């Protein structure tokens, strides 16, 4: 009974002093979580656990800075915010969702680049060099040379295209993407070792011939042209020749596909003497020789 007489009342001044002793330190660049308590025409007031409410200006509420962005923040809901100013005399700090989303978007794109991830973007404009796209909320550029179809750029506006990140430089606000690389990676994913392909010879070098097929390019090395040694690839193929070959290796990390016509020969030198017959019987010949591929 006597103990209760020693309890001192907790006054308003005591409460104020207790708050003053609490360390509410907020730094610019810090991410905080808060609850929306009021939506005004100029911005949104947020309870972030400080002595004063944080203020989110309307222009900092979304990536687009829409004047109607307050509709996206119902009172009572909690969100993450980025602090963009030091506390003023009243202890209030300014907040931003727009800059937080930008920060998160750049990190996402850097991760996509590291992972060589293919993702979809929407074409929102064009210029003489290519197309402008919306990539996870950021404006990105796909050069004409990195489009699978660059015949009519205007027709691409409003459409979604798959891309991969070539360069994501947040400091310079530079985002370059490739639609061609994305299509190529997707095409490679549909291929398999031992698969018979039909393609066109696009280039011939002393070490072999490059063959285009299914949106990708493979190398037919001179050692894989025939069981008989080939010293000059032009003795076997010419540019624009349509040929059949077997995929003998796929290296996605180095973006390389190795081909072979040697596996279609039943006897050494057939590719040199009668390639037309070899290609005409390609399916049957591969079925007979396929075990050699896995023995190699």
């Amino acid at each position: 009974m006597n103990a209760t007489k020693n309890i001192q009342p907790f006054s308003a001044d005591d409460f104020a002093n207790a708050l003053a002793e609490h360390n509410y330190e907020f730094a610019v660049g810090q991410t905080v979580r808060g609850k929306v308590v009021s939506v005004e025409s100029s911005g949104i007031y947020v309870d972030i656990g400080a002595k004063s409410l944080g203020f989110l200006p309307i222009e900092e509420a979304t990536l687009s800075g829409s004047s109607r962005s307050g509709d996206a923040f119902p009172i009572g809901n909690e969100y993450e915010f980025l602090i963009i100013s030091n506390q003023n005399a009243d202890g209030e700090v300014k907040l931003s969702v727009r800059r937080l989303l930008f920060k998160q978007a750049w990190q996402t794109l850097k991760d996509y680049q590291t992972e060589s991830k293919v993702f979809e973007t929407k074409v929102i404009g064009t210029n003489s060099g290519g197309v402008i796209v919306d990539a996870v909320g950021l404006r990105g550029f796909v050069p004409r040379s990195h489009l699978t179809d660059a015949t009519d750029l205007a027709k691409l506006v409003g459409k979604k295209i798959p891309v991969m990140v070539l360069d994501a430089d947040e400091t310079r606000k530079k985002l370059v993407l490739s639609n061609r690389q994305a299509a190529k990676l997707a095409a490679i994913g549909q291929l398999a070792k031992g698969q018979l392909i039909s393609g066109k010879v696009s280039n011939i070098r002393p070490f072999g011939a490059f063959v285009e097929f299914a949106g990708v390019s493979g190398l037919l090395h001179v050692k894989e042209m025939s069981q008989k040694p080939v010293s000059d690839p032009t003795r076997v193929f010419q540019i624009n020749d349509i040929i059949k070959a077997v995929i003998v290796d796929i290296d996605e990390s180095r973006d390389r596909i190795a081909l072979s016509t040697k596996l279609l020969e039943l006897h050494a030198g057939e590719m040199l003497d009668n390639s037309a017959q070899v290609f005409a019987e390609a399916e049957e010949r591969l079925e007979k020789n396929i075990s050699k591929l896995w023995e190699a």
Side-chain angles (χ1 to χ4, degrees):
M1 296 290 293
N2 294 333
T4 59
K5 294 180 179 179
N6 296 325
I7 297 177
Q8 299 296 319
F10 196 71
S11 67
D13 289 338
D14 293 330
F15 182 70
N17 291 332
L19 285 177
E21 291 174 2
H22 193 88
N23 185 20
Y24 291 107
E25 288 190 4
F26 294 98
V28 174
Q30 179 182 350
T31 300
V32 295
R33 191 165 184 83
K35 181 185 292 186
V36 176
V37 297
S38 175
V39 178
E40 310 294 337
S41 60
S42 59
I44 300 162
Y45 286 94
V46 183
D47 181 0
I48 57 173
K51 287 185 290 184
S52 296
L53 298 175
F55 181 65
L56 174 68
I58 285 296
E59 62 271 17
E60 293 292 336
T62 65
L63 279 175
S64 63
S66 169
S67 60
R68 299 184 59 188
S69 55
D71 300 341
F73 295 88
I75 293 175
N77 284 15
E78 290 190 357
Y79 304 94
E80 285 192 336
F81 303 90
L82 185 70
I83 295 176
I84 59 174
S85 78
N86 292 314
Q87 290 175 287
N88 61 19
D90 297 323
E92 181 183 283
V93 295
K94 283 188 179 180
L95 307 172
S96 175
V97 170
R98 182 179 67 87
R99 300 186 203 186
L100 182 61
L101 292 175
F102 267 119
K103 185 177 179 181
Q104 293 172 341
W106 278 110
Q107 186 57 55
T108 295
L109 289 165
K110 289 174 185 176
D111 291 342
Y112 283 178
Q113 183 177 18
T114 301
E115 300 165 7
S116 296
K117 181 181 176 68
V118 175
F119 62 103
E120 282 200 332
T121 59
K122 184 177 181 179
V123 178
I124 58 176
T126 69
N127 59 34
S128 59
V131 298
I132 300 163
V133 298
D134 180 339
V136 295
L138 300 180
R139 287 168 67 89
F141 178 64
V142 183
R144 183 184 288 268
S145 60
H146 277 275
L147 289 166
T148 56
D149 183 4
T151 54
D152 189 347
L153 300 186
K155 285 186 177 180
L156 293 176
V157 176
K159 293 183 178 180
K160 291 185 177 180
I161 59 173
V163 297
M164 289 177 63
V165 178
L166 294 180
D167 186 14
D169 189 332
E170 182 178 1
T171 303
R172 298 167 60 197
K173 298 295 185 290
K174 180 182 179 182
L175 177 58
V176 184
L177 310 155
S178 175
N179 169 232
R180 184 179 292 277
Q181 284 289 93
K184 191 172 185 179
L185 187 63
I188 290 178
Q190 300 299 311
L191 303 176
K193 183 177 178 179
Q195 183 177 339
L196 181 68
I197 63 93
S198 178
K200 181 173 71 174
V201 177
S202 59
N203 195 8
I204 298 177
R205 303 293 295 277
F207 53 82
F210 289 95
V211 182
E212 291 186 355
F213 65 98
V216 297
S217 177
L219 173 62
L220 176 57
H221 198 276
V222 287
K223 292 182 179 179
E224 290 294 332
M225 289 183 177
S226 174
Q227 296 174 40
K228 188 174 181 179
V230 176
S231 58
D232 181 4
T234 59
R235 285 191 56 210
V236 189
F237 303 113
Q238 298 297 317
I239 291 177
N240 293 325
D241 280 355
I242 302 299
I243 72 168
K244 291 183 178 180
V246 184
I247 297 175
V248 292
D249 187 47
I250 301 174
D251 188 342
E252 292 189 31
S253 64
R254 300 172 67 188
D255 197 20
R256 292 183 181 179
I257 301 172
L259 305 172
S260 174
T261 50
K262 179 171 68 176
L263 275 173
L264 300 177
E265 290 185 324
L266 299 180
H267 308 289
E270 284 186 289
M271 280 300 303
L272 303 175
D273 301 330
N274 195 350
S275 60
Q277 183 177 355
V278 174
F279 295 147
E281 301 170 354
E283 288 79 3
E284 296 84 352
R285 287 167 173 263
L286 177 58
E287 189 174 340
K288 293 179 180 178
N289 291 341
I290 191 65
S291 60
K292 296 179 180 178
L293 173 61
W294 304 106
E295 292 170 359

